[in-house]
Amino acid sequence: MGMNSVTNLGQNGIQDWILQRVSAYVLAFYTLFMLGFFMTNDVDYQSWSALFDQGWFRIFSLLALLSIAAHAWVGLWTVSTDYMQSAMQRFLFQAAFILVIFVYVVWGVQIIWGL
């Protein structure tokens, strides 16, 4: 069974690998879109607000937010299980980052959807 029983996102390493790659593509597309938006628009409050008023962009931003959370978690889980030998140290490290990621996701959802 090993260490991948409770704290990793996928049920096995292949699922985590796929999640890492898919989330990287989502983040790359979001970054390219944002670069294009900034390069082709005179960005001010009105244009920024108009962009976020569109439902498709809010969904795209939410997908990017969830992708960054998943990508970060898989990476942190991999590093912590590879380099932290103490189970308690690893648990505390992972618990702290779960809390940080959770707070950022909730905060991001509030910002994106104006809750």
mmCIF file of all heavy atoms in Angstrom, residues 48-83:
data_model
loop_
_atom_site.group_PDB
_atom_site.id
_atom_site.type_symbol
_atom_site.label_atom_id
_atom_site.label_comp_id
_atom_site.label_asym_id
_atom_site.label_seq_id
_atom_site.Cartn_x
_atom_site.Cartn_y
_atom_site.Cartn_z
ATOM 1 N N TRP A 48 -11.030 45.444 -16.907
ATOM 2 C CA TRP A 48 -10.806 44.321 -15.987
ATOM 3 C C TRP A 48 -12.138 43.828 -15.423
ATOM 4 O O TRP A 48 -12.404 42.631 -15.355
ATOM 5 C CB TRP A 48 -9.883 44.780 -14.869
ATOM 6 C CG TRP A 48 -9.369 43.698 -13.982
ATOM 7 C CD1 TRP A 48 -9.679 43.516 -12.672
ATOM 8 C CD2 TRP A 48 -8.454 42.662 -14.323
ATOM 9 N NE1 TRP A 48 -9.008 42.429 -12.179
ATOM 10 C CE2 TRP A 48 -8.252 41.886 -13.173
ATOM 11 C CE3 TRP A 48 -7.783 42.305 -15.490
ATOM 12 C CZ2 TRP A 48 -7.410 40.774 -13.153
ATOM 13 C CZ3 TRP A 48 -6.952 41.201 -15.472
ATOM 14 C CH2 TRP A 48 -6.777 40.455 -14.309
ATOM 15 N N SER A 49 -12.991 44.760 -15.039
ATOM 16 C CA SER A 49 -14.310 44.417 -14.509
ATOM 17 C C SER A 49 -15.169 43.753 -15.580
ATOM 18 O O SER A 49 -15.886 42.778 -15.296
ATOM 19 C CB SER A 49 -14.996 45.676 -13.976
ATOM 20 O OG SER A 49 -16.247 45.373 -13.442
ATOM 21 N N ALA A 50 -15.103 44.255 -16.809
ATOM 22 C CA ALA A 50 -15.871 43.659 -17.905
ATOM 23 C C ALA A 50 -15.422 42.224 -18.177
ATOM 24 O O ALA A 50 -16.247 41.351 -18.467
ATOM 25 C CB ALA A 50 -15.737 44.512 -19.167
ATOM 26 N N LEU A 51 -14.127 41.978 -18.079
ATOM 27 C CA LEU A 51 -13.621 40.617 -18.272
ATOM 28 C C LEU A 51 -14.175 39.687 -17.200
ATOM 29 O O LEU A 51 -14.672 38.601 -17.500
ATOM 30 C CB LEU A 51 -12.090 40.617 -18.246
ATOM 31 C CG LEU A 51 -11.402 39.262 -18.417
ATOM 32 C CD1 LEU A 51 -11.717 38.666 -19.793
ATOM 33 C CD2 LEU A 51 -9.906 39.402 -18.214
ATOM 34 N N PHE A 52 -14.132 40.130 -15.949
ATOM 35 C CA PHE A 52 -14.601 39.273 -14.854
ATOM 36 C C PHE A 52 -16.119 39.218 -14.755
ATOM 37 O O PHE A 52 -16.654 38.377 -14.034
ATOM 38 C CB PHE A 52 -13.987 39.704 -13.523
ATOM 39 C CG PHE A 52 -12.671 39.041 -13.255
ATOM 40 C CD1 PHE A 52 -11.488 39.626 -13.675
ATOM 41 C CD2 PHE A 52 -12.620 37.815 -12.619
ATOM 42 C CE1 PHE A 52 -10.273 39.003 -13.450
ATOM 43 C CE2 PHE A 52 -11.410 37.180 -12.388
ATOM 44 C CZ PHE A 52 -10.234 37.781 -12.805
ATOM 45 N N ASP A 53 -16.832 40.069 -15.461
ATOM 46 C CA ASP A 53 -18.292 39.988 -15.498
ATOM 47 C C ASP A 53 -18.769 38.851 -16.391
ATOM 48 O O ASP A 53 -19.940 38.468 -16.333
ATOM 49 C CB ASP A 53 -18.903 41.308 -15.981
ATOM 50 C CG ASP A 53 -18.919 42.374 -14.893
ATOM 51 O OD1 ASP A 53 -18.794 42.001 -13.700
ATOM 52 O OD2 ASP A 53 -19.053 43.563 -15.233
ATOM 53 N N GLN A 54 -17.899 38.322 -17.219
ATOM 54 C CA GLN A 54 -18.280 37.247 -18.136
ATOM 55 C C GLN A 54 -18.177 35.900 -17.417
ATOM 56 O O GLN A 54 -17.152 35.574 -16.821
ATOM 57 C CB GLN A 54 -17.371 37.267 -19.364
ATOM 58 C CG GLN A 54 -17.471 38.591 -20.118
ATOM 59 C CD GLN A 54 -16.562 38.623 -21.302
ATOM 60 O OE1 GLN A 54 -16.567 37.700 -22.108
ATOM 61 N NE2 GLN A 54 -15.780 39.681 -21.422
ATOM 62 N N GLY A 55 -19.259 35.140 -17.492
ATOM 63 C CA GLY A 55 -19.327 33.855 -16.803
ATOM 64 C C GLY A 55 -18.246 32.887 -17.230
ATOM 65 O O GLY A 55 -17.664 32.186 -16.390
ATOM 66 N N TRP A 56 -17.960 32.820 -18.533
ATOM 67 C CA TRP A 56 -16.945 31.882 -19.012
ATOM 68 C C TRP A 56 -15.579 32.184 -18.415
ATOM 69 O O TRP A 56 -14.814 31.274 -18.119
ATOM 70 C CB TRP A 56 -16.861 31.870 -20.538
ATOM 71 C CG TRP A 56 -16.312 33.139 -21.136
ATOM 72 C CD1 TRP A 56 -17.024 34.210 -21.562
ATOM 73 C CD2 TRP A 56 -14.925 33.453 -21.348
ATOM 74 N NE1 TRP A 56 -16.167 35.198 -22.027
ATOM 75 C CE2 TRP A 56 -14.871 34.754 -21.913
ATOM 76 C CE3 TRP A 56 -13.741 32.777 -21.123
ATOM 77 C CZ2 TRP A 56 -13.692 35.382 -22.244
ATOM 78 C CZ3 TRP A 56 -12.549 33.406 -21.460
ATOM 79 C CH2 TRP A 56 -12.536 34.693 -22.019
ATOM 80 N N PHE A 57 -15.275 33.495 -18.212
ATOM 81 C CA PHE A 57 -13.967 33.839 -17.653
ATOM 82 C C PHE A 57 -13.905 33.527 -16.167
ATOM 83 O O PHE A 57 -12.860 33.119 -15.656
ATOM 84 C CB PHE A 57 -13.614 35.304 -17.915
ATOM 85 C CG PHE A 57 -12.214 35.611 -17.470
ATOM 86 C CD1 PHE A 57 -11.124 35.130 -18.180
ATOM 87 C CD2 PHE A 57 -11.975 36.350 -16.319
ATOM 88 C CE1 PHE A 57 -9.821 35.374 -17.762
ATOM 89 C CE2 PHE A 57 -10.680 36.599 -15.897
ATOM 90 C CZ PHE A 57 -9.606 36.114 -16.615
ATOM 91 N N ARG A 58 -14.998 33.699 -15.466
ATOM 92 C CA ARG A 58 -15.027 33.316 -14.052
ATOM 93 C C ARG A 58 -14.806 31.811 -13.900
ATOM 94 O O ARG A 58 -14.084 31.369 -13.010
ATOM 95 C CB ARG A 58 -16.340 33.717 -13.407
ATOM 96 C CG ARG A 58 -16.458 35.184 -13.146
ATOM 97 C CD ARG A 58 -17.727 35.503 -12.425
ATOM 98 N NE ARG A 58 -17.808 36.916 -12.168
ATOM 99 C CZ ARG A 58 -18.728 37.476 -11.415
ATOM 100 N NH1 ARG A 58 -19.653 36.717 -10.846
ATOM 101 N NH2 ARG A 58 -18.737 38.763 -11.224
ATOM 102 N N ILE A 59 -15.438 31.036 -14.778
ATOM 103 C CA ILE A 59 -15.255 29.585 -14.734
ATOM 104 C C ILE A 59 -13.810 29.227 -15.078
ATOM 105 O O ILE A 59 -13.192 28.377 -14.426
ATOM 106 C CB ILE A 59 -16.263 28.883 -15.662
ATOM 107 C CG1 ILE A 59 -17.673 29.057 -15.107
ATOM 108 C CG2 ILE A 59 -15.917 27.409 -15.845
ATOM 109 C CD1 ILE A 59 -18.780 28.642 -16.056
ATOM 110 N N PHE A 60 -13.252 29.882 -16.089
ATOM 111 C CA PHE A 60 -11.859 29.663 -16.476
ATOM 112 C C PHE A 60 -10.921 30.021 -15.320
ATOM 113 O O PHE A 60 -9.963 29.294 -15.022
ATOM 114 C CB PHE A 60 -11.558 30.504 -17.722
ATOM 115 C CG PHE A 60 -10.233 30.231 -18.399
ATOM 116 C CD1 PHE A 60 -9.585 29.012 -18.307
ATOM 117 C CD2 PHE A 60 -9.648 31.218 -19.172
ATOM 118 C CE1 PHE A 60 -8.379 28.781 -18.959
ATOM 119 C CE2 PHE A 60 -8.451 31.007 -19.824
ATOM 120 C CZ PHE A 60 -7.804 29.782 -19.712
ATOM 121 N N SER A 61 -11.207 31.132 -14.634
ATOM 122 C CA SER A 61 -10.390 31.540 -13.485
ATOM 123 C C SER A 61 -10.520 30.550 -12.338
ATOM 124 O O SER A 61 -9.527 30.239 -11.664
ATOM 125 C CB SER A 61 -10.797 32.939 -13.016
ATOM 126 O OG SER A 61 -10.520 33.889 -14.011
ATOM 127 N N LEU A 62 -11.731 30.053 -12.110
ATOM 128 C CA LEU A 62 -11.926 29.045 -11.068
ATOM 129 C C LEU A 62 -11.173 27.768 -11.408
ATOM 130 O O LEU A 62 -10.538 27.161 -10.545
ATOM 131 C CB LEU A 62 -13.417 28.749 -10.875
ATOM 132 C CG LEU A 62 -13.758 27.698 -9.824
ATOM 133 C CD1 LEU A 62 -13.275 28.128 -8.440
ATOM 134 C CD2 LEU A 62 -15.252 27.431 -9.823
ATOM 135 N N LEU A 63 -11.217 27.371 -12.670
ATOM 136 C CA LEU A 63 -10.475 26.190 -13.108
ATOM 137 C C LEU A 63 -8.973 26.393 -12.903
ATOM 138 O O LEU A 63 -8.269 25.486 -12.445
ATOM 139 C CB LEU A 63 -10.783 25.889 -14.576
ATOM 140 C CG LEU A 63 -10.109 24.661 -15.178
ATOM 141 C CD1 LEU A 63 -10.534 23.391 -14.450
ATOM 142 C CD2 LEU A 63 -10.461 24.562 -16.661
ATOM 143 N N ALA A 64 -8.479 27.590 -13.199
ATOM 144 C CA ALA A 64 -7.055 27.896 -12.981
ATOM 145 C C ALA A 64 -6.730 27.873 -11.494
ATOM 146 O O ALA A 64 -5.683 27.343 -11.096
ATOM 147 C CB ALA A 64 -6.703 29.249 -13.590
ATOM 148 N N LEU A 65 -7.609 28.404 -10.670
ATOM 149 C CA LEU A 65 -7.391 28.402 -9.225
ATOM 150 C C LEU A 65 -7.338 26.977 -8.681
ATOM 151 O O LEU A 65 -6.435 26.622 -7.911
ATOM 152 C CB LEU A 65 -8.498 29.194 -8.529
ATOM 153 C CG LEU A 65 -8.473 29.223 -7.006
ATOM 154 C CD1 LEU A 65 -7.236 29.949 -6.501
ATOM 155 C CD2 LEU A 65 -9.733 29.886 -6.482
ATOM 156 N N LEU A 66 -8.279 26.145 -9.085
ATOM 157 C CA LEU A 66 -8.287 24.753 -8.640
ATOM 158 C C LEU A 66 -7.084 23.994 -9.195
ATOM 159 O O LEU A 66 -6.526 23.123 -8.518
ATOM 160 C CB LEU A 66 -9.592 24.072 -9.037
ATOM 161 C CG LEU A 66 -10.849 24.626 -8.375
ATOM 162 C CD1 LEU A 66 -12.091 23.955 -8.938
ATOM 163 C CD2 LEU A 66 -10.780 24.496 -6.858
ATOM 164 N N SER A 67 -6.671 24.340 -10.411
ATOM 165 C CA SER A 67 -5.498 23.701 -11.008
ATOM 166 C C SER A 67 -4.228 24.051 -10.249
ATOM 167 O O SER A 67 -3.376 23.184 -10.031
ATOM 168 C CB SER A 67 -5.352 24.108 -12.473
ATOM 169 O OG SER A 67 -6.392 23.568 -13.238
ATOM 170 N N ILE A 68 -4.105 25.308 -9.855
ATOM 171 C CA ILE A 68 -2.893 25.686 -9.116
ATOM 172 C C ILE A 68 -2.878 25.012 -7.750
ATOM 173 O O ILE A 68 -1.825 24.592 -7.263
ATOM 174 C CB ILE A 68 -2.734 27.217 -9.013
ATOM 175 C CG1 ILE A 68 -1.270 27.581 -8.824
ATOM 176 C CG2 ILE A 68 -3.565 27.817 -7.916
ATOM 177 C CD1 ILE A 68 -0.948 29.029 -9.064
ATOM 178 N N ALA A 69 -4.052 24.861 -7.131
ATOM 179 C CA ALA A 69 -4.122 24.173 -5.839
ATOM 180 C C ALA A 69 -3.740 22.700 -5.993
ATOM 181 O O ALA A 69 -2.941 22.168 -5.209
ATOM 182 C CB ALA A 69 -5.524 24.310 -5.245
ATOM 183 N N ALA A 70 -4.296 22.035 -6.985
ATOM 184 C CA ALA A 70 -3.998 20.614 -7.207
ATOM 185 C C ALA A 70 -2.533 20.424 -7.591
ATOM 186 O O ALA A 70 -1.860 19.512 -7.093
ATOM 187 C CB ALA A 70 -4.915 20.043 -8.286
ATOM 188 N N HIS A 71 -2.040 21.289 -8.472
ATOM 189 C CA HIS A 71 -0.649 21.200 -8.932
ATOM 190 C C HIS A 71 0.308 21.376 -7.749
ATOM 191 O O HIS A 71 1.275 20.616 -7.592
ATOM 192 C CB HIS A 71 -0.397 22.274 -9.992
ATOM 193 C CG HIS A 71 0.845 22.083 -10.768
ATOM 194 N ND1 HIS A 71 0.909 21.339 -11.914
ATOM 195 C CD2 HIS A 71 2.097 22.566 -10.566
ATOM 196 C CE1 HIS A 71 2.136 21.361 -12.390
ATOM 197 N NE2 HIS A 71 2.882 22.096 -11.589
ATOM 198 N N ALA A 72 0.027 22.375 -6.925
ATOM 199 C CA ALA A 72 0.873 22.620 -5.757
ATOM 200 C C ALA A 72 0.811 21.450 -4.788
ATOM 201 O O ALA A 72 1.844 21.019 -4.260
ATOM 202 C CB ALA A 72 0.439 23.909 -5.060
ATOM 203 N N TRP A 73 -0.381 20.920 -4.559
ATOM 204 C CA TRP A 73 -0.502 19.822 -3.608
ATOM 205 C C TRP A 73 0.257 18.583 -4.083
ATOM 206 O O TRP A 73 0.982 17.978 -3.304
ATOM 207 C CB TRP A 73 -1.955 19.472 -3.319
ATOM 208 C CG TRP A 73 -1.981 18.272 -2.427
ATOM 209 C CD1 TRP A 73 -2.413 17.023 -2.739
ATOM 210 C CD2 TRP A 73 -1.458 18.179 -1.095
ATOM 211 N NE1 TRP A 73 -2.199 16.175 -1.689
ATOM 212 C CE2 TRP A 73 -1.610 16.858 -0.667
ATOM 213 C CE3 TRP A 73 -0.862 19.097 -0.236
ATOM 214 C CZ2 TRP A 73 -1.201 16.423 0.584
ATOM 215 C CZ3 TRP A 73 -0.453 18.662 1.017
ATOM 216 C CH2 TRP A 73 -0.627 17.346 1.415
ATOM 217 N N VAL A 74 0.098 18.203 -5.339
ATOM 218 C CA VAL A 74 0.799 17.013 -5.838
ATOM 219 C C VAL A 74 2.309 17.220 -5.728
ATOM 220 O O VAL A 74 3.037 16.326 -5.296
ATOM 221 C CB VAL A 74 0.375 16.669 -7.285
ATOM 222 C CG1 VAL A 74 1.268 15.577 -7.872
ATOM 223 C CG2 VAL A 74 -1.082 16.232 -7.329
ATOM 224 N N GLY A 75 2.774 18.396 -6.079
ATOM 225 C CA GLY A 75 4.203 18.677 -5.974
ATOM 226 C C GLY A 75 4.697 18.648 -4.545
ATOM 227 O O GLY A 75 5.730 18.041 -4.240
ATOM 228 N N LEU A 76 3.961 19.289 -3.639
ATOM 229 C CA LEU A 76 4.369 19.303 -2.234
ATOM 230 C C LEU A 76 4.293 17.917 -1.610
ATOM 231 O O LEU A 76 5.147 17.543 -0.816
ATOM 232 C CB LEU A 76 3.503 20.287 -1.447
ATOM 233 C CG LEU A 76 3.774 21.750 -1.739
ATOM 234 C CD1 LEU A 76 2.679 22.627 -1.149
ATOM 235 C CD2 LEU A 76 5.125 22.150 -1.190
ATOM 236 N N TRP A 77 3.277 17.156 -1.973
ATOM 237 C CA TRP A 77 3.154 15.788 -1.453
ATOM 238 C C TRP A 77 4.337 14.944 -1.923
ATOM 239 O O TRP A 77 4.934 14.219 -1.135
ATOM 240 C CB TRP A 77 1.840 15.151 -1.907
ATOM 241 C CG TRP A 77 1.671 13.775 -1.369
ATOM 242 C CD1 TRP A 77 1.146 13.427 -0.161
ATOM 243 C CD2 TRP A 77 2.055 12.555 -2.003
ATOM 244 N NE1 TRP A 77 1.183 12.066 -0.006
ATOM 245 C CE2 TRP A 77 1.740 11.499 -1.125
ATOM 246 C CE3 TRP A 77 2.640 12.248 -3.232
ATOM 247 C CZ2 TRP A 77 1.989 10.176 -1.438
ATOM 248 C CZ3 TRP A 77 2.886 10.922 -3.534
ATOM 249 C CH2 TRP A 77 2.562 9.898 -2.647
ATOM 250 N N THR A 78 4.679 15.082 -3.193
ATOM 251 C CA THR A 78 5.788 14.304 -3.741
ATOM 252 C C THR A 78 7.100 14.662 -3.046
ATOM 253 O O THR A 78 7.851 13.775 -2.637
ATOM 254 C CB THR A 78 5.905 14.547 -5.260
ATOM 255 O OG1 THR A 78 4.672 14.187 -5.876
ATOM 256 C CG2 THR A 78 7.034 13.746 -5.862
ATOM 257 N N VAL A 79 7.364 15.943 -2.907
ATOM 258 C CA VAL A 79 8.611 16.374 -2.266
ATOM 259 C C VAL A 79 8.636 15.936 -0.802
ATOM 260 O O VAL A 79 9.647 15.414 -0.313
ATOM 261 C CB VAL A 79 8.785 17.903 -2.391
ATOM 262 C CG1 VAL A 79 9.891 18.419 -1.491
ATOM 263 C CG2 VAL A 79 9.048 18.287 -3.840
ATOM 264 N N SER A 80 7.529 16.114 -0.100
ATOM 265 C CA SER A 80 7.533 15.763 1.329
ATOM 266 C C SER A 80 7.673 14.258 1.552
ATOM 267 O O SER A 80 8.352 13.835 2.488
ATOM 268 C CB SER A 80 6.280 16.295 2.023
ATOM 269 O OG SER A 80 5.111 15.661 1.554
ATOM 270 N N THR A 81 7.063 13.447 0.711
ATOM 271 C CA THR A 81 7.204 12.004 0.901
ATOM 272 C C THR A 81 8.580 11.512 0.456
ATOM 273 O O THR A 81 9.062 10.508 0.972
ATOM 274 C CB THR A 81 6.107 11.212 0.157
ATOM 275 O OG1 THR A 81 6.099 11.569 -1.218
ATOM 276 C CG2 THR A 81 4.745 11.464 0.764
ATOM 277 N N ASP A 82 9.200 12.218 -0.469
ATOM 278 C CA ASP A 82 10.540 11.819 -0.918
ATOM 279 C C ASP A 82 11.637 12.242 0.055
ATOM 280 O O ASP A 82 12.619 11.519 0.222
ATOM 281 C CB ASP A 82 10.850 12.419 -2.288
ATOM 282 C CG ASP A 82 10.134 11.715 -3.421
ATOM 283 O OD1 ASP A 82 9.536 10.646 -3.183
ATOM 284 O OD2 ASP A 82 10.156 12.245 -4.549
ATOM 285 N N TYR A 83 11.496 13.414 0.680
ATOM 286 C CA TYR A 83 12.608 13.975 1.432
ATOM 287 C C TYR A 83 12.406 14.067 2.937
ATOM 288 O O TYR A 83 13.351 14.359 3.653
ATOM 289 C CB TYR A 83 12.970 15.360 0.878
ATOM 290 C CG TYR A 83 13.500 15.277 -0.524
ATOM 291 C CD1 TYR A 83 12.724 15.649 -1.607
ATOM 292 C CD2 TYR A 83 14.778 14.793 -0.765
ATOM 293 C CE1 TYR A 83 13.201 15.547 -2.904
ATOM 294 C CE2 TYR A 83 15.273 14.688 -2.047
ATOM 295 C CZ TYR A 83 14.474 15.069 -3.116
ATOM 296 O OH TYR A 83 14.951 14.961 -4.392
#
